[in-house]
Amino acid sequence: MLDRNLRPEYGHAMKESNLPAIAAELNKRSLRTFCAPCALEPFSLRSGRGVRRSVTAYTLWRIPLSGIARRRDWFRPSIVVLFGDAAQAVFPLGRFILHHDGRAPDAWATKLNRIAPMKILSIINPHAAAIDVGSEQLHLSIAGDEPVVFGTVTDEVYRLRDYLKAQSVTTVAMEATGVYWLYAYAVLEAAGLEVVVVNGRHVSNLPGRKTDMADCQWLATLHAHGLLRGGFVPPAAIRRLQDYQRLRADHIIGAGSQVQKMQQALERMNIKFHDVISDLVGVSGLKVVRAILKGERQPEVLLALCDVQIQKHKRERVLASLRGTSTPEHLFALGQALAVWEFYQKLLAECDQQIEVVLKELAGPPTPTPESEGPSSAAGKKPGKNAPQIDQLHQLLLRLCGGKDVTAIAGIGDYLLLQLLAETGPDLKAWPSEKHFTAWAGLAPGSRQSGKRKGSVKVQRNRTGRLFCAGARSLVQSVDKALGGFYRRLAARKGGLAAMKALARKLAELYYRVLKYGLAYAEQGLRVYEQKYAESQRRLLAKLAAKQGFKLVSTQLAASPPTATM
């Protein structure tokens, strides 16, 4: 290796003719070893016989380190001194391995340590490119070459597409940066290119070198070597349904915030009506709120607007809760919150119309069903509060799933199935097994193993995983479902959060099996599940008793009186 003091003498313009002089200087300074590029490999440098050409163009080197105090500190400056600007070409990925050779510190004086080349990192696809996506610029690099910059307007994206075709690029990688990547992805996908969307956390560059130019080159290099793993992006038709469904979910969140504002305005007037009834924006609640805004203040008159069951069972509580003060500023806030909530309901109805159009396109024309099948699955489960108002929604979803009734699974209704299909689509071939599917949804535990240490990693659930958790919450209080018994048994041992995630994972497995293999789910009930669990516990206890040399005897059989025999 070269000491840093050799930089003024040799600089960056080291030629092959300078190597004997460098070797002489190494002998004077008693330096231990020499790092060479793959094009100029030293064979016997200390004897002054020059160098020989290497066959390999790019390689990684193993350098012995016995007797060197600073270890890695000397490596990079020495490479820069030796090879100058060519150092990046010599070590394209900047990787090297340093190890001890087990010899005495002065063993270099008797025998020159050979430099052993390691296996090269092969290029899988030289026609692979990568794009660093931004709001104003798209930085493109092909196989790690010099980046080319394009704009983000429509004409520039089309020019990017034509440029990729002219360069015979077959696959393109890009990071999922906000929503900026969506249009470029759609254009390149329509052009027949394979587009790989990767997680930016999984391909982070070296620290201190974060630029758009370096990012696209780094992505292109990794993609050319086949080191990138793309994420799941649903087909274009499913993405249409996904956009409408996610917009509808945002409107539901906005409407919920306005309900909170209405409750806040009633609290400021000390009207506790929303604490007595179950839903302020239900039929009775809306009638009372609109009557208050019109000027009605008599509790008896407002009670008469409520449902008969409320008048029968909650009469005194409702009358007491409707006695409060009416201030103009709080009535104004209540009226505006109600107006915004009604506007959100109008937006939700418009989204339902668009979702119905997309579902009919995806489901195709209805097929005649045999009369022997019966109308058992025609009605579906009772829709929830925020379910879309779509005629024959269950039949549309059934045709979209190819006749597979996913709603037969406990905890999954039509609305939840619609949300799941908007995220995954009915075709689950992107996941080879149910384990891959649950891990992608964030419902499988992560692992962090290093040597003898094993730790757990907190896995972030995506939208699909959170939807399965919502379905699992609906089974917590069930009294006749086997999955509810599974949750309560696990919650007693592991806690509610762990049991909820385990139940969501079980729902995801059932969802995968029904759509992938067409397996029909049959609810056996809580009693059958508890009997099976008790039987498995008895088998386990009998096995443990036999292992210790004991025999398990049932107390019921021992307590029963013997029967008389003739």
Side-chain angles (χ1 to χ4, degrees), residues 465-546:
R466 293 193 292 269
L467 289 174
F468 281 118
C469 289
R473 283 194 294 270
S474 65
L475 296 171
V476 173
Q477 301 297 333
S478 62
V479 295
D480 58 344
K481 298 293 188 294
L483 292 176
F486 168 79
Y487 167 81
R488 289 186 287 272
R489 177 179 65 84
L490 202 60
R493 184 164 54 93
K494 291 287 188 179
L497 293 179
M500 184 70 67
K501 188 174 182 180
L503 180 56
R505 187 181 188 276
K506 188 173 287 291
L507 286 179
E509 291 176 346
L510 296 173
Y511 174 82
Y512 182 89
R513 294 171 189 172
V514 172
L515 286 182
K516 186 71 177 289
Y517 307 115
L519 303 179
Y521 176 79
E523 175 61 47
Q524 298 180 352
L526 180 61
R527 180 176 299 178
V528 176
Y529 171 78
E530 291 178 346
Q531 291 176 355
K532 288 184 177 180
Y533 177 70
E535 181 64 28
S536 65
Q537 289 293 101
R538 282 193 292 268
R539 288 197 302 267
L540 178 61
L541 291 176
K543 183 178 180 180
L544 293 175

Side-chain angles (χ1 to χ4, degrees), residues 32-33 42-46 103 107-108 110-114:
R32 182 174 178 276
T33 186
F43 180 69
S44 181
L45 185 60
R46 292 185 58 84
R103 288 176 285 188
W108 61 269
T110 58
K111 183 178 179 181
L112 177 66
N113 296 324
R114 301 288 181 87

